[in-house]
Amino acid sequence: MVVSLMERPHVDFGIKILGGDIMSIPGLYQFIQKCITKYVAGIYIWPQTYEIPILDASSVAIKKPVGILHVKVVRASKLLKKDFLGTSDPYVKLSLTGEKLPWKKTTVKKKNLNPEWNENFKLVVKEPESQILQLQVFDWDKVGGHDRLGMQLVPLKLLTPHETKEFTLDLLKHTNISDPKDMKQRGKIVVELTYVPFKEDSIKFSSVSKKYSRKGSGNDQSSDEEALSGAGLLSVLVQGAEDVEGENHNNPYAIILYKGDKKRTKMIRKTRDPAWNEEFQFMLDEPPLHEKIHIEVMSKRTGIRFWSKESLGHVEINLTDVVHNGRINEKYHLINSKRGVIHVDIRWKMI
């Protein structure tokens, strides 16, 4: 369940120390109430959301990626003046609704009310009919919070696959268009969007090898790789592990390492058979034909004690078969583990 506030909330509270209400100090109540209200509003006012899990994560079907959204943040114009000297230091944050991934950010353009970025980003799309691109422009500050200059939303259903579309958008204070405060001019932002769905069927190695086996030349391998070339998405679903056992504690989590990019699952306490069911994505310019992905199961002791971390086993998976077949779904015996195995589902989808 996803909850958002449509307007700033009223927050009432009291603080008592040794039976005395310190909120009776003149001006303190109003100051703290303003700070709390601003903090809560910044977290939960639409399009920000608060997610409440109502089902066991292991029982929920995971939505699979269906394509890539290419976003080019081109420029902004006539932005608000937030700094003392009558200027701003703007940058843009962007994300898709329904995702828990960190927001992507442009660089900061110092002292510029008409910045040009021309910066490109790739976002994984799971539901093109319902997902929305969120754009927020902020004024960077060295001290304190960054002021939001404006925001806009672009539903992905406005896009035609493979066609680049430019949007020139009026920045708003928030999404309540009936609010008179939104009538204030906040400037414009220009973005170029292209939605590229994945190919329905991955190229199978068997068909490629048949195509080139008749040639009998020494260039067969290079021809195969050329036929399989192209950008795509590598999805790694770490389902769980069995019989993983540490010497000092059993609070397992998994680390996924690929070409210096490190991701990790949540930690599950006091179990030898963790069920994570967490998926991670790697957007690649070329298929990982001769690459390996490293997955290691770790255990971490809660609190500050000796032997805080220890390895419960690891495995290195060759990704060549994933590229050739489109998917592998296997259980792997963990190296340096007595009986431990890990269940991984890896998919490769080409654009």
Side-chain angles (χ1 to χ4, degrees):
M1 181 167 64
V2 181
V3 180
S4 292
L5 302 178
M6 301 310 295
E7 58 185 28
R8 288 184 178 272
H10 172 73
V11 182
D12 197 8
F13 61 92
I15 302 178
K16 291 186 178 181
I17 299 179
L18 300 177
D21 188 358
I22 66 172
M23 289 297 99
S24 60
I25 300 175
L28 184 60
Y29 176 85
Q30 291 80 4
F31 173 76
I32 296 181
Q33 185 188 49
K34 182 179 179 181
C35 291
I36 292 178
T37 302
K38 182 179 179 181
Y39 175 77
V40 174
I43 298 178
Y44 300 130
I45 281 191
W46 176 258
Q48 306 300 327
T49 60
Y50 175 62
E51 297 190 4
I52 304 172
I54 57 177
L55 290 176
D56 182 8
S58 62
S59 66
V60 180
I62 298 177
K63 295 173 183 175
K64 300 298 182 184
V66 296
I68 298 293
L69 178 66
H70 296 261
V71 182
K72 182 177 182 179
V73 182
V74 182
R75 72 182 74 90
S77 59
K78 299 181 180 179
L79 298 177
L80 293 179
K81 302 174 183 178
K82 285 289 185 178
D83 293 344
F84 178 72
L85 298 177
T87 184
S88 289
D89 304 320
Y91 68 93
V92 181
K93 293 175 61 177
L94 56 152
S95 177
L96 286 174
T97 56
E99 287 291 348
K100 297 181 180 179
L101 299 174
W103 289 61
K104 295 183 181 294
K105 299 178 184 179
T106 66
T107 55
V108 177
K109 298 297 182 180
K110 294 292 187 71
K111 299 179 181 180
N112 197 333
L113 299 179
N114 300 283
E116 291 201 17
W117 287 285
N118 291 306
E119 296 182 23
N120 296 289
F121 302 90
K122 297 176 183 178
L123 303 174
V124 177
V125 178
K126 294 182 178 178
E127 295 181 290
E129 291 300 316
S130 61
Q131 282 187 289
I132 296 171
L133 174 65
Q134 305 173 102
L135 298 163
Q136 299 195 38
V137 184
F138 284 87
D139 171 41
W140 181 87
D141 287 317
K142 189 173 184 179
V143 180
H146 300 178
D147 297 319
R148 190 167 72 183
L149 303 177
M151 63 162 296
Q152 256 297 0
L153 306 173
V154 183
L156 299 193
K157 62 183 180 182
L158 299 178
L159 303 176
T160 301
H162 303 288
E163 292 185 10
T164 300
K165 189 171 183 179
E166 182 177 282
F167 291 84
T168 301
L169 307 166
D170 292 317
L171 292 171
L172 306 175
K173 181 178 177 63
H174 46 66
T175 54
N176 185 3
I177 59 177
S178 61
D179 190 335
K181 294 181 181 179
D182 256 356
M183 302 304 293
K184 181 178 180 180
Q185 296 294 321
R186 295 178 170 271
K188 298 178 182 291
I189 186 170
V190 179
V191 294
E192 294 179 2
L193 307 181
T194 310
Y195 170 56
V196 182
F198 294 126
K199 294 180 179 179
E200 291 295 329
D201 298 309
S202 298
I203 299 176
K204 299 293 188 293
F205 178 73
S206 58
S207 62
V208 176
S209 60
K210 288 178 182 177
K211 178 179 178 181
Y212 291 103
S213 60
R214 302 186 187 95
K215 295 184 178 181
S217 67
N219 296 326
D220 288 359
Q221 183 176 355
S222 61
S223 300
D224 292 351
E225 293 179 5
E226 183 179 351
L228 289 166
S229 65
L233 181 75
L234 181 69
S235 297
V236 181
L237 172 61
V238 184
Q239 296 185 345
E242 300 171 8
D243 294 324
V244 291
E245 185 174 358
E247 294 183 5
N248 302 290
H249 40 77
N250 288 291
N251 303 312
Y253 61 94
I255 293 176
I256 302 92
L257 184 63
Y258 178 71
K259 283 190 171 182
D261 193 356
K262 185 176 181 180
K263 303 178 186 293
R264 59 165 288 177
T265 68
K266 61 181 178 291
M267 181 180 70
I268 301 179
R269 299 183 61 183
K270 298 180 180 180
T271 180
R272 292 185 174 91
D273 304 301
W276 295 294
N277 288 303
E278 294 187 46
E279 187 173 20
F280 306 93
Q281 285 94 31
F282 302 87
M283 281 182 282
L284 309 178
D285 294 328
E286 293 291 336
L289 269 173
H290 305 291
E291 305 291 344
K292 292 182 179 181
I293 191 167
H294 179 90
I295 301 177
E296 185 168 8
V297 180
M298 301 287 295
S299 178
K300 182 178 180 180
R301 184 188 294 276
T302 55
I304 302 176
R305 301 180 186 179
F306 293 110
W307 303 294
S308 61
K309 291 182 182 179
E310 62 177 287
S311 175
L312 307 184
H314 69 274
V315 64
E316 286 196 349
I317 302 173
N318 194 316
L319 298 176
T320 301
D321 287 343
V322 182
V323 178
H324 291 158
N325 300 313
R327 177 189 182 188
I328 56 173
N329 186 355
E330 298 285 348
K331 288 186 177 181
Y332 297 90
H333 289 282
L334 293 169
I335 300 172
N336 295 333
S337 175
K338 291 181 180 178
R339 297 181 298 273
V341 297
I342 188 167
H343 189 186
V344 184
D345 186 345
I346 306 179
R347 299 169 186 252
W348 169 252
K349 292 187 177 182
M350 296 180 62
I351 299 177

